[in-house]
């Protein structure tokens, strides 16, 4: 989970039987996620690491799947982060991105200096450049600020 925050999604994935790795640029969030998932960490089923996403301290091809939920707006270099995620994914590994996109207007409460949602086409282009074989929009939430679900598959050599 790139941008794992307090580790709630990690806990959900652990509850579904998965082993997990959380990455977050905030030492506070790493601490909170580690505390929330301390039993799984002690059992070797979870790891939480401090990283800005531009460098993920994992070996090439060591991860089956990755996700990031409502974090792309805050990434200082989204294209580099996507390339790094592709590096750690095994060939044919999947990435799910859940986010709002810039194709839709920001709601009044969303400060544009904080929320920098990518355009759909730009995000798909970044995924292609990063080494994903294809990227599809697989779901769309019809709320006032729509949420898109992107699914990308890492290219195989």
């Amino acid at each position: 989970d790139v941008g794992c925050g307090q580790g709630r999604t990690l806990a959900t994935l652990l509850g579904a039987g998965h082993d997990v790795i959380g990455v977050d640029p905030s030492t506070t969030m790493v601490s909170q996620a580690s505390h929330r998932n301390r039993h799984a960490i002690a059992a070797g089923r979870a790891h939480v690491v401090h990283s800005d996403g531009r460098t993920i301290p994992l070996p090439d091809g060591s991860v089956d799947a990755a996700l990031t939920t409502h974090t792309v707006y805050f990434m200082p270099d989204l294209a580099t982060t996507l390339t790094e995620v592709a590096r750690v994914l095994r060939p044919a590994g999947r990435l799910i991105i859940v986010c709002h996109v810039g194709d839709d207007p920001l709601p009044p409460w969303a400060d544009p200096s904080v929320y920098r949602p990518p355009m759909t086409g730009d995000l798909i282009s970044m995924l292609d450049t990063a080494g994903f074989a294809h990227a599809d929009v697989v779901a769309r939430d019809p709320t006032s600020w729509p949420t898109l679900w992107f699914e990308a598959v890492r290219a195989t050599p």
Side-chain angles (χ1 to χ4, degrees), residues 37-111:
N37 297 289
R38 64 190 173 281
H39 299 295
I41 290 170
R45 294 193 53 229
H47 302 280
V48 181
V49 296
H50 181 254
S51 169
D52 64 4
R54 292 177 284 193
T55 55
I56 299 174
L58 296 171
D60 295 358
S62 62
V63 176
D64 294 327
L67 66 93
T68 185
T69 306
H70 293 295
T71 58
V72 297
Y73 331 114
F74 314 114
M75 293 178 179
D77 186 350
L78 178 55
T80 299
T81 297
L82 294 174
T83 299
E84 184 67 353
V85 170
R87 180 190 67 77
V88 302
L89 279 173
R90 65 171 169 73
R94 295 189 183 279
L95 167 63
I96 301 294
I97 300 172
V98 179
C99 67
H100 302 295
V101 292
D103 308 49
D104 302 303
L106 289 173
W109 57 263
D111 181 343

